[in-house]
């Protein structure tokens, strides 16, 4: 059974359709990417999954259970965490405080500390800087805070929206390596990106969106060798 299955959804803002009869499936344990140029509908797909802009038609199932009609906090409680585009950390809070916010559904302080230790093991830099105000860190470090905060919820599926946006090439590389490490821990990842090459390099499977429609999908390796897809959708 697919971990996430999107079945023929249509999503609109006001009355303008943005996603048209979109279907896709994510297998558990993998990194699946959604690629597409500006305006392809990638963020709208995330909004549909999270129940922020629910689809008008179709079904979205997570671990076999429909998410349609659930408010966002209940979608998240099923085991889905989302790291938004632009990172949105809390700048006036320390690194450690930012992480704690990500575990707001957990009451036990020992469990929160255990999860923070797991995040610090992935990001030693955050451990060194746990008491620094997050807003004073570099863009790449803030990206780590944002991913770490998502991990504090111990999600079964981590959705990451354009993690490479606005980062220097060095941090992009490091962040992608970390996303692969997170997947190695057994967390399924849905990676939404415009950065085609590096995304396909760490993904197992990819879907390509254009103007709200699915135009290609396949094993990441095959997609990265598909010149037609590359030329048509990524220039
Ligand atoms: P980007 O990479 O630039 O974030 P995207 O692939 O995520 O692009 P979306 O943000 O999903 O694309 O946008 C898809 C279409 O929906 C675009 O035509 C956009 O103008 C439109 N759209 C997005 N948000 C809204 C909104 N709140 N109200 C009306 N139209 C919107």
């Amino acid at each position: 059974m697919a971990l996430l299955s999107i079945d023929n959804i249509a999503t609109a803002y006001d009355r303008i359709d943005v996603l048209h009869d979109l279907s896709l499936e994510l297998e558990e344990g993998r990194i699946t990417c959604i690629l597409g140029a500006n305006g392809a509908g990638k963020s709208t797909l995330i909004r549909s999954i999270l129940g922020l802009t629910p689809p008008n038609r179709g079904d979205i199932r997570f671990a076999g259970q429909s998410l349609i009609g659930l408010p966002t906090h209940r979608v998240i409680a099923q085991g889905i965490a989302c790291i938004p585009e632009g990172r949105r950390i809390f700048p006036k809070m320390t690194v450690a405080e930012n992480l704690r916010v990500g575990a707001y559904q957990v009451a036990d302080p020992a469990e929160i500390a255990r999860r923070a230790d797991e995040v610090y093991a992935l990001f030693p830099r955050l451990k060194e800087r746990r008491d620094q105000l997050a807003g004073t860190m570099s863009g790449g470090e803030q990206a780590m805070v944002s991913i770490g905060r998502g991990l504090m919820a111990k999600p079964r599926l981590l959705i990451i929206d354009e993690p490479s946006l606005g980062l220097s090439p060095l941090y992009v590389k490091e962040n992608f390596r970390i996303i692969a490490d997170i997947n190695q821990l057994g967390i399924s990842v849905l990676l939404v990106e415009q950065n085609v090459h590096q995304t396909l390099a760490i993904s197992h499977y990819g879907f390509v969106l254009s103007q709200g429609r699915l135009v290609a999908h396949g094993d990441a390796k095959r997609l990265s060798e598909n010149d037609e897809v590359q030329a048509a959708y990524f220039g």
Side-chain angles (χ1 to χ4, degrees):
M1 183 181 59
L3 178 61
L4 182 75
S5 127
I6 295 186
D7 187 13
N8 254 299
I9 61 165
T11 304
Y13 296 105
D14 298 322
R15 253 169 263 138
I16 302 167
D17 278 349
V18 171
L19 300 181
H20 312 270
D21 296 325
L22 187 65
S23 296
L24 52 92
E25 289 198 334
L26 252 83
E27 270 181 50
E28 180 136 45
R30 299 176 125 199
I31 301 179
T32 306
C33 65
I34 309 284
L35 299 169
N38 266 325
K42 305 182 300 297
S43 301
T44 304
L45 173 60
I46 295 179
R47 296 183 61 86
S48 302
I49 296 168
L50 297 178
L52 291 165
T53 308
N56 297 326
R57 291 194 299 281
D59 197 9
I60 300 179
R61 301 176 82 79
F62 183 69
Q65 197 187 325
S66 179
L67 301 179
I68 300 294
L70 295 186
T72 301
H73 69 274
R74 292 215 25 227
V75 171
I76 285 165
Q78 311 288 312
I80 300 178
C82 182
I83 296 163
E85 185 186 313
R87 298 177 268 284
R88 314 222 187 101
I89 52 140
F90 297 100
K92 300 270 169 66
M93 291 187 193
T94 66
V95 169
E97 288 165 345
N98 267 276
L99 294 186
R100 217 175 305 144
V101 171
Y104 71 96
Q105 286 168 322
V106 183
D108 176 15
E111 175 61 20
I112 295 173
R114 241 189 326 270
R115 292 187 186 188
D117 282 342
E118 286 172 19
V119 171
Y120 291 140
L122 269 175
F123 300 104
R125 181 89 53 105
L126 295 189
K127 186 170 187 181
E128 285 163 26
R129 308 205 165 196
R130 62 206 294 168
D131 297 320
Q132 185 171 333
L133 293 183
T136 64
M137 299 173 80
S138 75
E141 290 163 348
Q142 291 187 19
M144 295 176 192
V145 173
S146 154
I147 293 176
R149 193 179 59 197
L151 289 174
M152 290 294 287
K154 278 226 169 212
R156 196 162 163 194
L157 173 65
L158 186 65
I159 301 176
I160 313 181
D161 194 2
E162 305 218 21
S164 71
L165 200 74
L167 291 185
S168 69
L170 194 68
Y171 273 122
V172 171
K173 204 165 162 220
E174 169 143 357
N175 259 350
F176 276 70
R177 183 186 58 73
I178 288 161
I179 291 167
D181 287 350
I182 290 168
N183 176 246
Q184 290 289 314
L185 298 175
I187 298 172
S188 307
V189 176
L190 177 61
L191 185 54
V192 174
E193 262 292 350
Q194 294 194 41
N195 184 332
V196 180
H197 294 287
Q198 300 201 56
T199 301
L200 286 174
I202 64 159
S203 297
H204 299 102
Y205 203 85
F207 293 91
V208 182
L209 288 188
S210 175
Q211 299 185 6
R213 294 176 202 278
L214 189 63
V215 290
H217 64 103
D219 285 333
K221 194 164 182 312
R222 260 200 24 232
L223 276 183
S224 63
E225 288 162 356
N226 187 331
D227 294 338
E228 227 168 278
V229 167
Q230 300 267 337
Y233 301 105
F234 308 113

